Amino acid sequence: ALEAMAAGLTVVSTSAGALPETTAGHAALIDPRMPPEEYKRHFIARTVDFIEQQGSQEQSEKVKHQRQYIREGFLWGDRAVEWQDWLSS
């Protein structure tokens, strides 16, 4: 999800695991506990919504904020320094 978000893509996925925290409101997350046909309908609807919004000012702003979120908290260089500090402590 993070790689897609960094590339400026919209994520449509399940709300399972750590995706709600990781995507921080920048993705369309669908509850995986719903029946499969209902999940499929929600997934398709959200995907079509994003395709139809492509190129709009609103979508451009969302992508801008999404990419900023990634740059501020999820760059590999930053993670490497954190790991180095943790391993050397």
Side-chain angles (χ1 to χ4, degrees), residues 33-49:
R33 296 170 294 183
M34 64 179 63
E37 285 300 313
E38 187 177 351
Y39 182 92
K40 183 170 90 174
R41 281 193 302 277
H42 281 271
F43 188 93
I44 291 169
R46 294 308 305 260
T47 301
V48 169
D49 287 345

Side-chain angles (χ1 to χ4, degrees), residues 13-70:
S13 186
T14 177
S15 60
L19 283 170
E21 293 82 6
T22 302
T23 59
H26 296 285
L29 300 178
I30 303 163
D31 187 345
R33 296 170 294 183
M34 64 179 63
E37 285 300 313
E38 187 177 351
Y39 182 92
K40 183 170 90 174
R41 281 193 302 277
H42 281 271
F43 188 93
I44 291 169
R46 294 308 305 260
T47 301
V48 169
D49 287 345
F50 286 124
I51 291 169
E52 290 175 346
Q53 293 173 12
Q54 197 69 16
S56 70
Q57 181 66 29
E58 180 183 354
Q59 184 65 14
S60 295
E61 285 297 314
K62 286 180 182 179
V63 168
K64 179 181 167 183
H65 292 289
Q66 170 181 299
R67 294 182 87 185
Q68 183 65 31
Y69 168 74
I70 296 297

